[in-house]
Amino acid sequence: MGSFSLWVAVRASQIFAELLDGEGLFKFLASMCLRRRCPPKFLDKAEEGRGFCLLDLPESALDEILCRLPAASLCQMMGVCRELRVRCRSDHLWKCLFDAKWGRIAGAVAYKEWQWRVARNSHYGDVDCPNSGNRIRSLSCIWPFSWLKGQGNEKKEKGGSSLDSIVVWYCALESGNFWFPGQVYNREHGNVGFMLSCYDAELSYDHRTNTFRARYPPHNSRTTVIEEGVEWERVRAPPVDTPAHDLHLTDCLDELQPGDHVEVQWRRNEEFPYGWWYGVVGHADMCDRDSHHCHCHLDDTVWLEFNQYTLGSRWRRAAVNRKTHHVEGNESDGFYGGIWKLRTKDEISAWRQLWPREALE
């Protein structure tokens, strides 16, 4: 096929895919593929004479169509024929779907946990895969369908998906059977004691409500707490790989200056886990806040301000030493640990959207 003809085919595929929604596109593509699978005696004369199949398209045109399918339709396409089963589970198709839905939530820590679980328990490969209206076993998505088992008894076909492929990882998260490590803003339904904080939790997705279940680990005399109905905007992947009871090693103290947005580890006492609390770097009491005369960035003391609290509140300001900071605080006011500087507008915006309607005491 010439380059011009290939361009026409690809462009036509783009326009065609835009005209149909995911379900309509799936039904049309499946009917095209069934023409190849059906013997000629089952086709009418018009179809037999036409003889065109989806798989006759150029590779680039076919990929252009498949990459526009939602996850549920892509899973369904795996059941149409052998060729599409192999093609529709390729990582390059699923990476875009994964990044769009799970990229912000399921980070490197969650993926490491998933690999560890799969290595220990092979049944974690048997997860649900998204489907319209119900769920189908990933065994039907990843391994051969029952109607193809006559083609061979291999557990996995050549070119099939391994347990660490993106489609299996996607289906594991979608199923809700896998609890993965993450963090929750304003835990326990926005309990005032946790306002503008973010705590470690194990998360499980509930596809029926499109929300999460959060399981907070026990500490002190408290038992495990499970919170239902956690919305997407309240969950995130941990920004640093630091366990909740460990001190984060701060590497940004030398560059902190007034106006910087930060997250600060804080906990009530050593029996409690650290949570990450949103704050900004403030000015020293003696500073006139004039940017031309301010030297706060040169001081050894860094003032952390938590402006969600009222003026005069003991939680409003805290001081840490730029050169010797390790853990600051006491049993009365709690302990301030590591500091993480926010560097993107998205990171800051996630906190600002959760700002309380009234100042906290």
Side-chain angles (χ1 to χ4, degrees), residues 291-355:
S291 60
H292 297 290
H293 302 96
C294 176
H295 294 90
C296 293
H297 62 287
L298 302 176
D299 290 347
D300 288 345
T301 300
V302 177
W303 287 96
L304 305 173
E305 295 185 347
F306 304 94
N307 295 326
Q308 62 269 34
Y309 293 97
T310 58
L311 289 171
S313 169
R314 62 173 176 155
W315 310 110
R316 176 82 177 200
R317 276 163 63 91
V320 299
N321 188 287
R322 193 187 299 272
K323 294 182 177 180
T324 63
H325 173 63
H326 184 64
V327 176
E328 309 280 349
N330 51 59
E331 290 288 340
S332 175
D333 297 330
F335 296 89
Y336 296 86
I339 301 172
W340 170 260
K341 181 179 177 179
L342 304 180
R343 301 182 183 275
T344 69
K345 292 181 179 179
D346 288 342
E347 290 175 324
I348 298 170
S349 176
W351 286 104
R352 301 297 295 182
Q353 290 176 0
L354 299 170
W355 198 264

Side-chain angles (χ1 to χ4, degrees), residues 129-354:
C129 192
N131 194 10
S132 299
N134 55 28
R135 311 311 256 191
I136 58 176
R137 302 297 294 170
S138 69
L139 191 63
S140 301
C141 292
I142 310 305
W143 315 129
F145 282 80
S146 57
W147 52 266
L148 280 175
K149 285 185 177 178
Q151 304 294 329
N153 295 320
E154 302 88 354
K155 185 176 182 182
K156 186 170 71 170
E157 296 180 86
K158 182 178 180 181
S161 298
S162 61
L163 290 178
D164 61 354
S165 66
I166 297 179
V167 59
V168 182
W169 175 218
Y170 185 104
C171 291
L173 295 168
E174 190 80 17
S175 72
N177 295 332
F178 173 57
W179 290 79
F180 61 95
Q183 291 182 342
V184 179
Y185 296 100
N186 296 356
R187 61 176 282 180
E188 299 179 35
H189 299 289
N191 184 308
V192 67
F194 298 106
M195 194 64 69
L196 282 192
S197 69
C198 198
Y199 275 79
D200 283 15
E202 290 184 314
L203 303 174
S204 172
Y205 178 63
D206 184 352
H207 66 268
R208 295 165 301 180
T209 60
N210 192 30
T211 59
F212 293 88
R213 294 178 291 269
R215 186 164 62 194
Y216 304 104
H219 60 271
N220 202 9
S221 60
R222 298 189 63 178
T223 59
T224 299
V225 176
I226 296 181
E227 180 182 352
E228 303 278 351
V230 180
E231 292 87 3
W232 282 81
E233 59 267 21
R234 288 182 53 214
V235 297
R236 71 174 185 182
V240 295
D241 190 7
T242 304
H245 283 274
D246 293 354
L247 176 70
H248 173 66
L249 299 179
T250 306
D251 59 1
C252 62
L253 282 172
D254 288 340
E255 61 179 286
L256 291 181
Q257 56 185 331
D260 285 343
H261 298 257
V262 294
E263 295 179 20
V264 184
Q265 280 184 315
W266 182 88
R267 63 180 174 182
R268 172 70 69 181
N269 57 49
E270 293 183 355
E271 294 182 354
F272 282 68
Y274 280 113
W276 290 96
W277 295 74
Y278 172 71
V280 295
V281 178
H283 293 268
D285 291 337
M286 302 301 293
C287 179
D288 62 6
R289 302 184 185 317
D290 186 331
S291 60
H292 297 290
H293 302 96
C294 176
H295 294 90
C296 293
H297 62 287
L298 302 176
D299 290 347
D300 288 345
T301 300
V302 177
W303 287 96
L304 305 173
E305 295 185 347
F306 304 94
N307 295 326
Q308 62 269 34
Y309 293 97
T310 58
L311 289 171
S313 169
R314 62 173 176 155
W315 310 110
R316 176 82 177 200
R317 276 163 63 91
V320 299
N321 188 287
R322 193 187 299 272
K323 294 182 177 180
T324 63
H325 173 63
H326 184 64
V327 176
E328 309 280 349
N330 51 59
E331 290 288 340
S332 175
D333 297 330
F335 296 89
Y336 296 86
I339 301 172
W340 170 260
K341 181 179 177 179
L342 304 180
R343 301 182 183 275
T344 69
K345 292 181 179 179
D346 288 342
E347 290 175 324
I348 298 170
S349 176
W351 286 104
R352 301 297 295 182
Q353 290 176 0
L354 299 170

